[in-house]
Amino acid sequence: MPVVDRVSLHVDKGETLGLVGESGSGKSTLARLLLGLETATEGRLLFGGEEVTRWGFKRLRTIRSRVQMVFQNSYSSFDPLFTVERIVGEPLSSYGGMAALERRRVILESLDMVGLESAYAERYPHELSGGQLQRVNIARALVLQPELLICDEPFSSLDFKLRRQILTLLEELKIRFGLSYLYITHDLSSVSRFCDRIAVMYKGQIVETLPAARIAEEAIHPYTRSLLDAVPVQDPRLRRSRTGRPFGEPALSQGERVTQGCRFCSRCPAAMPVCFTVEPVLETKRPSHQAACHLYANEAGGKASQTFQIVKEQGQPR
Ligand code: SF4
């Protein structure tokens, strides 16, 4: 079974798309595909309207600078022997051709964008707090003036206060530079404020996409509903799904395996006989709302194509 299969998504310019799913659902593999670190065997990858799926390594480098990654654990992604200036300037070395003075100016400008004074350029990772490390992480991602930032659990190692600070910073940068974000997380509770749209991934497939503001009321896929039910709430009775079965409890008896049909059927409290034989496809159920589930009739019609489109319009130079 492919790790990521039949994924159809797009990120619009200036949009934040939340990609939600459990560990092992294929989110990171999808990120590696977008960064050009892995090659898709099927389907199409579009960037700014241009198909880049079959581009060679050298040509792909030209778009890599436009897609950058903010890693989840800043400290472990930095070389402890490098100064902040060297860390932030690393992407400039990869894409080369900049005089030392200009390079320092660009690095200090990136630090300024994330609220760090020039004095931080001389410091080492162990001299920085968690929030400062994450700011350096973002400065490094910004130094090439990307159009799309892939943020992989950017708040996971931060406490609540720092999380809010970094969230606010990312929102400000998005408005200031017209950035688009792909925000990868397993935590559905963190996406509603930060994201415009949400795509839910399960075992390598997108099972539902819809506007973030509507997810609590309008999500229809049983997996999305179970993720919502798993969000901590004060009343523990509300954590249970509408069927009364807690999230994750398998609907099949032990030893049974599903070899065809819906990938979620072994855990789905609403599984029907058809779910064990016919694989549901991602279809438009309502305007701006797609889901892959046999439970719901196709109200608006139209199957999704196998396309990942990054930033529909060409970005304006900053
Ligand atoms: Fe559940 Fe069937 Fe929908 Fe899959 S297709 S999520 S098993 S109801």
Side-chain angles (χ1 to χ4, degrees), residues 22-268:
E22 296 163 293
S23 299
S25 62
K27 308 185 299 294
S28 299
T29 304
L30 186 57
R32 290 176 63 78
L33 282 168
L34 302 181
L35 288 163
L37 302 174
E38 297 207 13
T39 311
T41 49
E42 272 185 70
R44 298 188 307 150
L45 178 64
L46 307 181
F47 193 94
E50 242 184 309
E51 181 165 353
V52 301
T53 321
R54 305 286 164 232
W55 281 15
F57 179 78
K58 273 191 181 167
R59 212 167 162 207
L60 263 182
R61 272 173 64 90
T62 61
I63 69 156
R64 282 215 189 118
S65 63
R66 294 156 68 187
V67 183
Q68 290 292 300
M69 183 102 177
V70 175
F71 295 93
Q72 58 178 284
N73 190 337
S74 311
Y75 192 79
S76 65
S77 71
F78 297 156
D79 188 322
L81 301 177
F82 285 7
T83 62
V84 165
E85 179 172 350
R86 190 162 171 193
I87 289 167
V88 173
E90 269 181 323
L92 294 172
S93 308
S94 309
Y95 291 88
M98 197 173 271
L101 267 179
E102 173 65 1
R103 179 188 165 91
R104 182 163 171 84
R105 186 193 67 74
V106 170
I107 291 168
L108 295 185
E109 197 177 277
S110 281
L111 288 175
D112 182 58
M113 282 179 203
V114 299
L116 292 177
E117 295 164 7
S118 56
Y120 283 93
E122 320 306 330
R123 298 199 186 171
Y124 290 87
H126 72 270
E127 297 176 293
L128 304 178
S129 67
Q132 289 164 345
L133 284 168
Q134 195 58 314
R135 284 173 192 269
V136 171
N137 197 356
I138 297 168
R140 178 171 63 177
L142 289 175
V143 78
L144 289 173
Q145 299 192 340
E147 293 165 44
L148 174 71
L149 280 191
I150 300 176
C151 304
D152 187 3
E153 303 274 12
F155 315 123
S156 62
S157 57
L158 305 178
D159 62 28
F160 182 74
K161 192 176 159 201
L162 286 177
R163 186 177 290 216
R164 285 193 72 85
Q165 285 177 8
I166 298 298
L167 188 65
T168 304
L169 172 67
L170 288 171
E171 284 174 337
E172 285 170 3
L173 292 170
K174 176 179 156 179
I175 294 166
R176 194 167 155 200
F177 299 116
L179 289 169
S180 306
Y181 294 130
L182 177 66
Y183 170 48
I184 298 175
T185 183
H186 67 276
D187 176 14
L188 202 53
S189 66
S190 66
V191 296
S192 53
R193 181 188 155 190
F194 186 49
C195 299
D196 302 302
R197 261 185 327 118
I198 292 173
V200 180
M201 198 164 193
Y202 183 75
K203 287 192 178 174
Q205 289 186 334
I206 300 296
V207 296
E208 187 159 22
T209 66
L210 76 168
R214 291 169 21 199
I215 190 164
E217 291 77 29
E218 296 187 17
I220 56 174
H221 195 283
Y223 178 59
T224 313
R225 296 296 336 167
S226 65
L227 288 178
L228 284 165
D229 289 342
V231 171
V233 290
Q234 285 186 338
D235 184 348
R237 289 169 299 178
L238 297 179
R239 286 184 203 140
R240 293 187 166 252
S241 68
R242 286 177 295 186
T243 61
R245 181 181 286 123
F247 169 62
E249 183 178 309
L252 291 181
S253 59
Q254 208 172 8
E256 280 182 89
R257 282 188 68 225
V258 176
T259 53
Q260 56 184 343
C262 174
R263 294 181 188 187
F264 188 55
C265 63
S266 64
R267 297 170 71 183
C268 181

Side-chain angles (χ1 to χ4, degrees), residues 221-223 262-266 268-272 274-276 278 280 292-296:
H221 195 283
Y223 178 59
C262 174
R263 294 181 188 187
F264 188 55
C265 63
S266 64
C268 181
M272 306 170 284
V274 65
C275 305
F276 293 86
V278 180
C293 179
H294 293 309
L295 269 182
Y296 303 94

